[in-house]
Amino acid sequence: MMRTRPLKVALLGCGVVGSEVARIMTTHADDLAARIGAPVELAGVAVRRPDRVREGIDPALVTTDATALVKRGDIDVVVEVIGGIEPARTLITTAMEHGASVVSANKALLAQDGPALHAVAAGQGRDLYYEAAVAGAIPLIRPLRESLAGDKVNRVLGIVNGTTNFILDAMDSTGAGYQEALDEATALGYAEADPTADVEGFDAAAKAAILAGIAFHTRVRLDDVHREGMTEVTAADFASAKEMGCTIKLLAICERAADGASVTARVHPAMIPLSHPLANVRGAYNAVFVEAEAAGQLMFYGPGAGGAPTASAVLGDLVAVCRNRLGGGRGPGESAYAALPVSPMGEVVTRYHISLDVADKPGVLAQVATVFAEHGVSIDTVRQSGKDGEASLVVVTHRASDAALGGTVEALRKLDTVRGVASIMRVEGE
Amino acid sequence: MMRTRPLKVALLGCGVVGSEVARIMTTHADDLAARIGAPVELAGVAVRRPDRVREGIDPALVTTDATALVKRGDIDVVVEVIGGIEPARTLITTAMEHGASVVSANKALLAQDGPALHAVAAGQGRDLYYEAAVAGAIPLIRPLRESLAGDKVNRVLGIVNGTTNFILDAMDSTGAGYQEALDEATALGYAEADPTADVEGFDAAAKAAILAGIAFHTRVRLDDVHREGMTEVTAADFASAKEMGCTIKLLAICERAADGASVTARVHPAMIPLSHPLANVRGAYNAVFVEAEAAGQLMFYGPGAGGAPTASAVLGDLVAVCRNRLGGGRGPGESAYAALPVSPMGEVVTRYHISLDVADKPGVLAQVATVFAEHGVSIDTVRQSGKDGEASLVVVTHRASDAALGGTVEALRKLDTVRGVASIMRVEGE
């Protein structure tokens, strides 16, 4: 029962991901048609540089006028792989207003304007899918939104940025410093010329906002996500981590508070035990741990970026959206009914690993321990090592709030005997 | 915009999974209603022993007449967690004929009669969902069917039976023999009194048939799945595996042939390198590796059984099916358009680890090597160790067909100098 009129797809952007989407739509056209129940046809490709040769794409389909393309009215699905906020936001909105459903890979836009875009989709009765926006090829948004729809997600803990994982993995395995590992990542094409979005955690923070929103049925704005990059992680931090049986990962962590009444979302480097499955995620791979009340601990692992993996996620969404158009249904829209408050970082409770440079004289440990006690931060272990009148103290705490830890560190800095706070790192996944 | 009339759910079976489904439906009623867009109401519970106390379930809902319950006509969704072929098959069929959609956790039934049940669902315009049938709480069927709908899956390689993984993990970590590890699993409740379905691979084979069917868009019958249990795996096999840097897992493997024109499905114990993520799947956990053309390597990990995890998967399906009923759509049905031939085990190509007990005299290795060469099986490594006139030869082959290996072993057994074939184990995941 194959419908004969093809579904028309407009592609916005034809870079690494877009060209792969176009290629698969052509080479696997029969499979896609069988799975959808109707053929899909590439009806237009909007690009910035029309003169560039695009293998396998009919030049007649290429246009620089993306706005005209999404306004055509005969487009069933718009696939947006431009990235960035504008013109993507206006194009997606216009596309839905002109009757198209949308598949996007745009994490920055979804993190910033997800609610507004979902409102347009709902108002127009269109689908807005974006599996490719988080963790590339790894099915994550659909499992969270649909497979776990009958469960209560309490925690999402993941490596969602391949560039930083590549750098941290290199630092861990070679003992290299940050700059050296970044240079290697850049040379190998794992890091962009300007790596800011990755290494400062902006990319991961956008993904954390999207994941927290879906997991907790609550709007989580990008500003709600506490963000720390990984540019200050040192070889010494890795050495300390190793002594604790840990490694260091840049983690996106979305948590429901113990009382269930609020949630938090944050991105920062953290020590994680080598026995934790996330510790073994190598290179540019991504992996996300999900803890749900009934399901228990789940993990999703795979390539978090790249043309073909991202195209796989885009095409999975394309098939779903096309099926919905044929069947008359719509996929799940925004679910923000829980509307839980998003707590600031100060209320996050976790463990800390703190390295202090201190004077090597009697009573220092007592002073330091007193400061922790005064701020209600309980110490788990202390390791002291001295050389040439200087000493270092490594303190690992029990679970404490970030605010209490912050107060502790501020007070420690004021001690005459504390020459410096060498590093503060959270310990997760225990 | 909450619809006021609740959707009515009939529960068939109220054992470990069913009681957990009922409990979550009650305790999380508000969340389910918000996610579905209408309240869901438990309208009846069919059980065999109505006199048993069922906490939290209104006794007025309990009935022994499952047939009358599914024929009521006002039931929106039937949740089947009885297991086994009959009466589950007749009840599910009757339910769909009387207007209900169905959520099932029944791997045996889906593996055996999936096509017939899907035909009824399609004919009646109803949904038939069964995420819980494979790998418990792990979202796997939905990701394969929907997230990867635009990709080409080439391989599914997984640990899909928790009981056998618990036993093999215990053998690996303690050096115990099979019987001792089985006894421990039984004592701890990980193995049933009659463990046949698990240890002989029947359970995993049913899951392999379901996964292969979905992954390859091809009907794969239970009889098409080559099945070997793990009762003959010995402590000596684990010792050999360790020497190779491997461990042993009972794997379900669904593969597309290199030319893409046929598929295979099989369940057997296999050596797998310690560096492979599946090697680190401990205890009763499940994990499934999926290799797709565009997505690359994905892994899904989590609890493969248990009341709450299975209930999580059932409830995810329940939300989806209820949403479809409200929205007027239907989820994906059977997709078997590819109709690829399913090749027999003889055509499977993999590597082998063969332990031979041989006479400790000159020329034996030459004889053995000749037999391999005559059957076109290329040898990768040989390890010889002798003691007291006897010797053992461990041969690891390059990739060869199962038929060629079978012929090789048959010929080896006929050699005077080969006293016995101690073990033959496939090597996967390299």
Side-chain angles (χ1 to χ4, degrees), chain A residues 14-26:
Chain A
C14 199
V16 176
V17 176
S19 59
E20 194 65 18
V21 169
R23 189 190 67 75
I24 297 174
M25 281 184 66
T26 307

Side-chain angles (χ1 to χ4, degrees), chain A residues 27-332:
Chain A
T27 56
H28 291 43
D30 291 347
D31 281 317
L32 293 172
R35 296 173 193 183
I36 290 167
V40 276
E41 173 189 297
L42 196 56
V45 182
V47 301
R48 271 185 306 177
R49 283 166 290 196
D51 46 325
R52 191 183 286 183
V53 177
R54 290 181 170 81
E55 206 181 334
I57 293 177
D58 179 356
L61 297 179
V62 175
T63 174
T64 53
D65 192 347
T67 304
L69 180 58
V70 301
K71 281 184 174 172
R72 261 171 54 171
D74 66 333
I75 302 295
D76 293 285
V77 186
V78 168
V79 173
E80 182 269 307
V81 286
I82 309 173
I85 304 301
E86 284 294 353
R89 176 172 51 195
T90 302
L91 290 170
I92 286 176
T93 305
T94 308
M96 292 193 285
E97 287 167 354
H98 286 76
S101 287
V102 169
V103 175
S104 171
N106 193 328
K107 63 213 155 225
L109 179 58
L110 266 300
Q112 182 177 308
D113 290 314
L117 294 171
H118 273 297
V120 176
Q124 301 288 335
R126 301 301 163 196
D127 275 328
L128 172 62
Y129 277 51
Y130 44 92
E131 181 68 74
V134 182
I138 310 173
L140 193 58
I141 291 181
R142 184 175 279 103
L144 273 176
R145 178 174 274 162
E146 302 184 42
S147 305
L148 291 167
D151 208 329
K152 184 178 180 185
V153 175
N154 287 322
R155 198 154 185 246
V156 177
L157 177 77
I159 295 165
V160 295
N161 181 276
T163 303
T164 48
N165 200 59
F166 182 90
I167 294 171
L168 291 169
D169 187 21
M171 291 175 73
D172 186 38
S173 53
T174 67
Y178 165 70
Q179 189 59 48
E180 190 185 337
L182 171 62
D183 291 345
E184 188 197 350
T186 309
L188 292 171
Y190 286 111
E192 295 185 45
D194 176 359
T196 309
D198 294 317
V199 300
E200 295 295 354
F202 291 100
D203 174 86
K207 292 165 178 169
I210 295 171
L211 290 176
I214 294 171
F216 303 134
H217 300 269
T218 286
R219 284 184 185 171
V220 176
R221 294 172 307 122
L222 195 47
D223 290 347
D224 293 330
V225 181
H226 174 84
R227 179 190 54 75
E228 295 172 33
M230 44 69 74
T231 58
E232 290 172 25
V233 176
T234 63
D237 289 330
F238 272 101
S240 297
K242 280 211 173 83
E243 282 179 29
M244 282 189 63
C246 289
T247 186
I248 298 170
K249 297 291 186 188
L250 183 73
L251 298 178
I253 305 174
C254 313
E255 282 178 321
R256 191 188 292 274
D259 66 359
S262 65
V263 298
T264 53
R266 52 194 165 114
V267 167
H268 55 70
M271 292 188 182
I272 189 164
L274 293 174
S275 59
H276 195 284
L278 289 180
N280 295 307
V281 176
R282 300 283 170 210
Y285 271 81
N286 282 194
V288 178
F289 235 73
V290 176
E291 292 177 20
E293 192 176 84
Q297 295 191 320
L298 305 171
M299 189 172 78
F300 304 81
Y301 167 96
T310 308
S312 173
V314 166
L315 286 161
D317 280 354
L318 179 66
V319 170
V321 167
C322 288
R323 289 192 73 255
N324 289 345
R325 282 184 89 87
L326 291 180
R330 265 188 76 218

Side-chain angles (χ1 to χ4, degrees), chain A residues 28 31 34-35 137 139 142 146-151 217 293-295 297-303 308-309 312 316 319 323 331-332 337, chain B residues 28 31 34-35 137 139 142 146-149 151 217 293-295 297-303 308-309 312 316 319 323 331-332 337:
Chain A
H28 291 43
D31 281 317
R35 296 173 193 183
R142 184 175 279 103
E146 302 184 42
S147 305
L148 291 167
D151 208 329
H217 300 269
E293 192 176 84
Q297 295 191 320
L298 305 171
M299 189 172 78
F300 304 81
Y301 167 96
S312 173
V319 170
R323 289 192 73 255
Y337 73 90
Chain B
H28 291 45
D31 281 317
R35 296 174 193 182
R142 183 176 279 103
E146 302 182 43
S147 306
L148 292 167
D151 208 329
H217 299 269
E293 194 177 83
Q297 295 191 321
L298 305 171
M299 189 172 79
F300 304 81
Y301 167 96
S312 172
V319 170
R323 289 192 75 255
Y337 72 89

